[in-house]
Amino acid sequence: MPIAEHKNVLLAHGGGGKLMHQLLKKIIFPSFHNRYLEQQHDGAVIDINGSRIAFTTDSYVVSPLFFPGGDIGKLAVYGTVNDLAMCGARPRWISLATIIEEGLPMETLSKVVESIKEAAAITGVEIVTGDTKVVDKGKGDGIFINTAGIGIIEKPVNINPQNVCDGDNVIINGDVGRHGMAIMSVREGLEFESTITSDCAPLSHTVMNLIENDVKIHCLRDLTRGGLASGLNEIASASNNQIEIDETLIPISDEVKGACEILGLDPLYVANEGRMVIFVPPSDTDKALEVIKRDENSKSAAIIGKVKKSDQPIVLRKNSIGITRILDMLSGEQLPRIC
Ligand code: MG
């Protein structure tokens, strides 16, 4: 059973699930109470004399540094770019702060920097400021990265968890669980018939396409730690609605399904790095799906559920034989240091 009170911080406090949200609610939110944090968005949307920017930050501690389909450098750019995109902003400027462990091979550092450079070019962001710190051998783990990002909200869109309402359709932009399973197979030395590659990818192009095509978006959430289940629970709780999803409609690759079965994991809780849920009103659902599917990374996008007005902000999952159960937020820690 998960214990609600802890004297010390556990790995699970950084897992994106219940304990992390408890920590935020008990220590962080009450200390820094303001209207930006209250929205529980992926970034802060700030109005500066009529122009709106999105501002966000994220730290990257993934282990191993390189994995099938990506590396810490790619994650550090795409993760922050994606949080800006979730606010409806075009990502523009990024900071790069590194905490390097003494002894890290220069070649490894160069490879990570090269990867950051490539990811920045793909997403059209500039690395405009940064910091470099080195800690003693044994006091870090190769390299940790923090990036903060600023994006510009160019159109009068209002994308926010609080906008989610009764009747909204929930769209996912592709199959779930690949990032978590890719990391786990490398770390645990598991060999499957075919290598599972991370879904690590930028979402900004897809979001910009939706906005440029005037698709009415109520809310966006990128699915990272805690997987689809935790992302949906965050939105249900922030918008005070019930979300009902149909398990049979969620795209999952055979490789991920098989690996999850062997390890006893539920793919709905496994981490992603290039997946998002899009909340749209019925009037704009077809158009949204068509625009999303134009992206190579989102060919298997699908409608997976619906929002219902309710007094209880819960997520329900309906399985293949029609049985409905509660899909709770991740409790405990499935796999630490995943991003
Ligand atoms: Mg996010």
Side-chain angles (χ1 to χ4, degrees), residues 63-85:
S63 168
L65 298 176
F66 301 89
F67 48 84
D71 56 75
I72 192 169
K74 251 190 182 183
L75 277 188
V77 176
Y78 294 161
T80 294
V81 158
N82 289 351
D83 277 341
L84 294 172

Side-chain angles (χ1 to χ4, degrees), residues 5 14 23 25 40 72 80 89 104 117 119 169 189 191 193 202 218 222 244 266 272 292 296 302:
E5 300 293 338
L23 185 132
K25 274 190 185 142
Q40 298 179 39
I72 192 169
T80 294
L104 180 80
K117 190 178 151 187
N169 283 312
E191 276 183 40
E193 211 162 284
H218 282 167
D222 61 332
E244 190 175 321
D266 183 339
N272 308 275
I292 293 164
E296 209 44 58

Side-chain angles (χ1 to χ4, degrees), residues 259-324:
C260 281
E261 254 166 47
I262 292 168
L263 297 166
L265 296 172
D266 183 339
L268 304 196
Y269 288 94
V270 178
N272 308 275
E273 281 295 338
R275 294 291 171 246
M276 61 176 161
V277 280
I278 303 109
F279 291 81
V280 282
S283 59
D284 286 57
T285 303
D286 289 345
K287 195 172 170 192
L289 254 184
E290 186 265 312
V291 173
I292 293 164
K293 284 186 176 182
R294 286 183 205 163
D295 178 15
E296 209 44 58
N297 173 43
S298 304
K299 289 275 178 252
S300 59
I303 303 168
I304 58 164
K306 224 175 176 49
V307 175
K308 281 183 186 159
K309 201 172 165 51
S310 162
D311 298 333
Q312 271 189 311
I314 52 168
V315 182
L316 296 173
R317 66 193 295 178
K318 196 168 89 184
N319 70 10
S320 57
I321 51 169
I323 293 173
T324 302

Side-chain angles (χ1 to χ4, degrees), residues 8-238:
N8 300 304
V9 174
L10 307 178
L11 269 173
H13 280 113
K18 270 188 182 162
L19 280 185
M20 194 189 83
H21 284 89
Q22 272 176 18
L23 185 132
L24 293 177
K25 274 190 185 142
K26 279 196 167 164
I27 299 189
I28 307 294
F29 290 154
S31 307
F32 307 107
H33 186 76
N34 62 56
R35 65 192 155 113
Y36 303 105
L37 280 180
E38 244 166 46
Q39 296 186 351
Q40 298 179 39
H41 208 342
D42 280 303
V45 173
I46 302 169
D47 193 309
I48 306 171
N49 300 327
S51 303
R52 286 187 303 158
I53 63 157
F55 177 44
T56 192
T57 185
D58 217 323
S59 299
Y60 302 88
V61 299
V62 67
S63 168
L65 298 176
F66 301 89
F67 48 84
D71 56 75
I72 192 169
K74 251 190 182 183
L75 277 188
V77 176
Y78 294 161
T80 294
V81 158
N82 289 351
D83 277 341
L84 294 172
M86 295 305 104
C87 302
R90 186 184 297 280
R92 295 289 300 275
W93 304 284
I94 278 196
S95 70
L96 173 66
T98 53
I99 299 169
I100 306 167
E101 183 188 8
E102 178 189 18
L104 180 80
M106 243 358 138
E107 201 192 328
T108 306
L109 182 60
S110 299
K111 270 169 76 180
V112 171
V113 171
E114 193 54 40
S115 177
I116 290 172
K117 190 178 151 187
E118 248 175 58
I122 288 169
T123 49
V125 292
E126 282 181 290
I127 312 292
V128 290
T129 185
D131 178 50
T132 309
K133 296 276 171 15
V134 178
V135 294
D136 309 85
K137 199 168 180 59
K139 300 271 170 74
D141 191 8
I143 183 170
F144 297 146
I145 299 178
N146 172 277
T147 54
I150 293 176
I152 296 182
I153 300 173
E154 296 167 346
K155 289 215 174 184
V157 292
N158 182 10
I159 297 166
N160 194 303
Q162 275 83 34
N163 289 342
V164 170
C165 62
D166 188 38
D168 277 359
N169 283 312
V170 185
I171 299 175
I172 193 159
N173 75 318
D175 63 318
V176 298
R178 280 202 277 125
H179 180 70
M181 294 321 292
I183 299 278
M184 190 172 288
S185 49
V186 181
R187 221 191 278 169
E188 307 299 326
L190 305 172
E191 276 183 40
F192 302 110
E193 211 162 284
S194 54
T195 311
I196 299 174
T197 55
S198 166
D199 60 318
C200 174
L203 299 168
S204 43
H205 296 123
T206 313
V207 174
M208 289 304 114
N209 279 340
L210 285 168
I211 292 173
E212 271 154 25
N213 282 278
D214 292 318
V215 174
K216 195 165 186 209
I217 307 165
H218 282 167
C219 182
L220 298 165
R221 172 76 22 130
D222 61 332
L223 305 172
T224 56
R225 292 166 300 173
L228 174 65
S230 298
L232 290 176
N233 270 282
E234 286 170 7
I235 302 296
S237 139

